[in-house]
Amino acid sequence: MAKTAQQPVLVIMGVSGSGKSTVAGLLAGRLGWDLAEGDDLHPEANVAKMQAGHALSDEDRWPWLGLIADWIKERTAAGKPGIITCSALKKRYRDVLRGEGVVFVFLQGSKDRISDRLASRHGHFMPAALLESQFDALEVPTEDENHISLCVSASPAEEADEIVDRLGFEAQTVPTPHMLGGAA
């Protein structure tokens, strides 16, 4: 049996408020790929700590990163594509997640732009007050990491389109009534 090409797993990364969840959701819909929200994998203690306005330590993050790495490995082992969100702020965090077929998509923006986005976001456990700590921790991906960087200056839909184009993916065609034999 011929070996099939490894399907990619995209890690949509960046500081809180960069649009990871929105862009990942759009990408998953366009590509028809599995999607996981990395924030949903945080242990309750991490969520409580962030809700209280305290930044996570590396020790807080390791178990969470392990769960994200497990999700990635399940897909790559099965040859299935997928998309997961994760801040992945430091190179050593990305080292835990990296592997064959893993592509980091870094959504980057200025502190002012991201702060404006956070101010308009409601219902998320990550308070805007922790944004400074995220920028302090951020280590921009380097040339030796399999990544693309994207400035968060466009709409999330345009950003998703750019990611699809830059990575050479083909978006799924959503059937219209005409394509299904119905009236157009």
Side-chain angles (χ1 to χ4, degrees):
M1 184 160 98
K3 183 177 178 184
T4 58
Q6 175 64 51
Q7 293 293 309
V9 172
L10 305 181
V11 178
I12 311 301
M13 62 163 287
V15 299
S16 185
S18 61
K20 295 182 298 289
S21 297
T22 303
V23 170
L26 290 166
L27 281 171
R30 289 188 182 150
L31 298 170
W33 292 3
D34 290 345
L35 170 65
E37 176 61 55
D39 282 346
D40 292 344
L41 300 176
H42 269 296
E44 288 182 30
N46 284 8
V47 173
K49 188 172 183 177
M50 288 184 281
Q51 284 176 327
H54 303 289
L56 297 179
S57 68
D58 283 350
E59 292 74 29
D60 296 325
R61 285 189 177 93
W62 293 127
W64 171 64
L65 290 166
L67 294 172
I68 292 172
D70 289 345
W71 189 92
I72 292 169
K73 288 175 188 164
E74 286 174 13
R75 265 126 209 98
T76 57
K80 292 176 57 177
I83 300 168
I84 190 162
T85 61
C86 177
S87 54
L89 297 175
K90 296 181 180 181
K91 188 174 194 312
R92 64 179 171 256
Y93 303 162
R94 295 188 295 274
D95 288 344
V96 171
L97 307 177
R98 110 176 49 236
E100 183 180 353
V102 177
V103 179
F104 294 96
V105 178
F106 175 38
L107 302 180
Q108 62 181 351
S110 71
K111 200 178 296 183
D112 288 341
R113 179 151 183 86
I114 302 294
S115 182
D116 288 347
R117 284 183 166 197
L118 275 177
S120 66
R121 184 166 79 173
H122 302 288
H124 193 274
F125 62 79
M126 178 74 166
L130 290 180
L131 181 60
E132 187 74 31
S133 70
Q134 293 239 313
F135 271 99
D136 289 345
L138 178 63
E139 296 171 1
V140 174
T142 58
E143 288 182 19
D144 67 323
E145 297 179 82
N146 190 16
H147 82 284
I148 63 169
S149 294
L150 189 74
C151 185
V152 294
S153 59
S155 73
E158 292 168 324
E159 292 166 5
D161 286 342
E162 183 176 341
I163 293 164
V164 168
D165 290 344
R166 287 180 60 189
L167 293 175
F169 298 142
E170 194 169 315
Q172 288 189 344
T173 304
V174 178
T176 63
H178 173 73
M179 293 172 71
L180 297 173

